[in-house]
Amino acid sequence: MLAKLTSKNQLTLPKSVTEAIGPVQYFEVQARAGQIILTPVRIQRGDALRAKLAELDLGEAAIEKALDWAAKALAVPAKKKASGSRKAKPAAAPEVAPARKVARKTATVKTATAPKTAARKRSGVVAK
């Protein structure tokens, strides 16, 4: 079977091949002796999370710190309801890059009605 590599480095596998291996989203890719070898890999959610944490190089200390921060942030509303009168400030969130705002511009286009068309509309005669 023939498959084409696109300019974006994407490869579409023939349907007969994907049906034969079953529902798989990930493949281990190897290059050996001028051949590309795709091996189906079934990743479970826990495995994907552990892989992402390993990729980000987050250790147990960083995860514990994040969990402690989240627990404190959740505890603030409970204390706020108990005191009632004053608003408590939530704990400061870890620094995250601010989201970029996207400006949207819209334009209204007005078209002028030709004098003859306007006169026909007033008289009840409209050309189709």
Side-chain angles (χ1 to χ4, degrees):
M1 286 180 238
L2 187 64
K4 180 183 176 187
L5 186 65
T6 68
S7 61
K8 292 184 179 182
N9 238 10
Q10 296 175 339
L11 182 66
T12 302
L13 298 175
K15 189 172 185 175
S16 60
V17 172
T18 58
E19 286 176 346
I21 60 172
V24 177
Q25 289 184 331
Y26 296 95
F27 293 87
E28 179 182 336
V29 181
Q30 296 176 352
R32 286 191 201 153
Q35 295 182 340
I36 299 172
I37 301 169
L38 300 174
T39 306
V41 177
R42 289 176 174 79
I43 297 179
Q44 296 177 356
R45 291 180 183 242
D47 293 339
L49 177 62
R50 281 187 282 283
K52 186 65 174 179
L53 291 174
E55 178 185 319
L56 295 173
D57 196 29
L58 295 176
E60 286 185 34
I63 295 169
E64 270 189 52
K65 187 177 176 181
L67 290 173
D68 288 343
W69 175 85
K72 287 178 186 175
L74 290 174
V76 170
K79 290 180 183 178
K80 180 178 137 182
K81 289 179 183 177
S83 64
S85 63
R86 291 180 40 151
K87 291 185 177 181
K89 291 184 179 180
E95 286 191 34
V96 177
R100 293 185 344 173
K101 292 184 180 180
V102 177
R104 293 186 178 176
K105 295 182 180 181
T106 58
T108 304
V109 178
K110 294 183 180 181
T111 57
T113 306
K116 289 182 182 178
T117 307
R120 279 191 221 134
K121 284 183 181 177
R122 277 187 246 123
S123 67
V125 179
V126 180
K128 291 185 179 180

